[in-house]
Amino acid sequence: MRNSTKQTPWWASWLMLAVGILIMMVATNVIPSEDEKFHVPRWVVFVCGMLFVTPGMAELLPGGKRTARFAFSFMLACFGTIGGAVALLGDSAGFSGGIPFVSQGTNATIARWVFGGGALLCFLFAGLVLCGKGKMSGNPVKEAENEHE
């Protein structure tokens, strides 16, 4: 059941849901795909699919701000999981860029610290959002009332 005060078109929620499910089906090999084409473990691709499914489902489910808070917290945790996977499991040979005058090994270490720090921040923010810290931005009721004027 959709909340009439939301601004998202109905088809966008279903599109997000469908894209996420397709990505998860590729990750679980329900849609066959060659392992050589994956540069990350399949579970990381599955988590990426969940990043599409979550907002699609959150928009379709009732609950308003509470559902949005849970969805946002879950998405932050997914981003933290992906960043943590890069930091802990990433192949140094696959890292590119970095500081030009620093060795490849040092650049890989810096990248791991940056991704790991970002992952920890995502987990911290996910916990804060889940505990109700912060406020939801915008006032959808007021915006919807102004639409009819």
Side-chain angles (χ1 to χ4, degrees):
M1 184 163 142
R2 293 184 50 83
N3 185 341
S4 63
T5 62
K6 294 184 180 179
Q7 302 289 325
T8 307
W10 65 269
W11 55 267
S13 302
W14 288 104
L15 180 63
M16 293 289 286
L17 197 61
V19 167
I21 290 171
L22 284 173
I23 292 171
M24 291 190 298
M25 289 172 73
V26 169
T28 57
N29 221 14
V30 171
I31 297 176
S33 55
E34 299 171 17
D35 287 336
E36 297 82 35
K37 292 186 177 182
F38 284 84
H39 300 286
V40 295
R42 286 184 179 263
W43 67 265
V44 174
V45 177
F46 189 86
V47 171
C48 291
M50 292 182 351
L51 283 167
F52 283 89
V53 168
T54 303
M57 286 194 58
E59 184 69 19
L60 295 171
L61 294 173
K65 287 185 178 184
R66 180 179 170 166
T67 301
R69 186 175 298 279
F70 284 126
F72 187 54
S73 177
F74 181 74
M75 289 175 67
L76 284 168
C78 286
F79 282 121
T81 301
I82 293 167
V86 171
L88 299 174
L89 306 174
D91 182 13
S92 301
F95 292 172
S96 62
I99 303 170
F101 54 86
V102 175
S103 72
Q104 174 66 21
T106 304
N107 273 325
T109 301
I110 292 169
R112 289 186 192 284
W113 278 98
V114 169
F115 276 96
L120 290 175
L121 282 174
C122 285
F123 288 128
L124 172 69
F125 292 148
L128 291 172
V129 168
L130 195 59
C131 292
K133 303 297 181 192
K135 73 173 206 163
M136 301 298 285
S137 64
N139 186 351
V141 173
K142 193 171 195 175
E143 290 171 8
E145 289 172 357
N146 291 339
E147 250 183 28
H148 299 293
E149 293 177 359

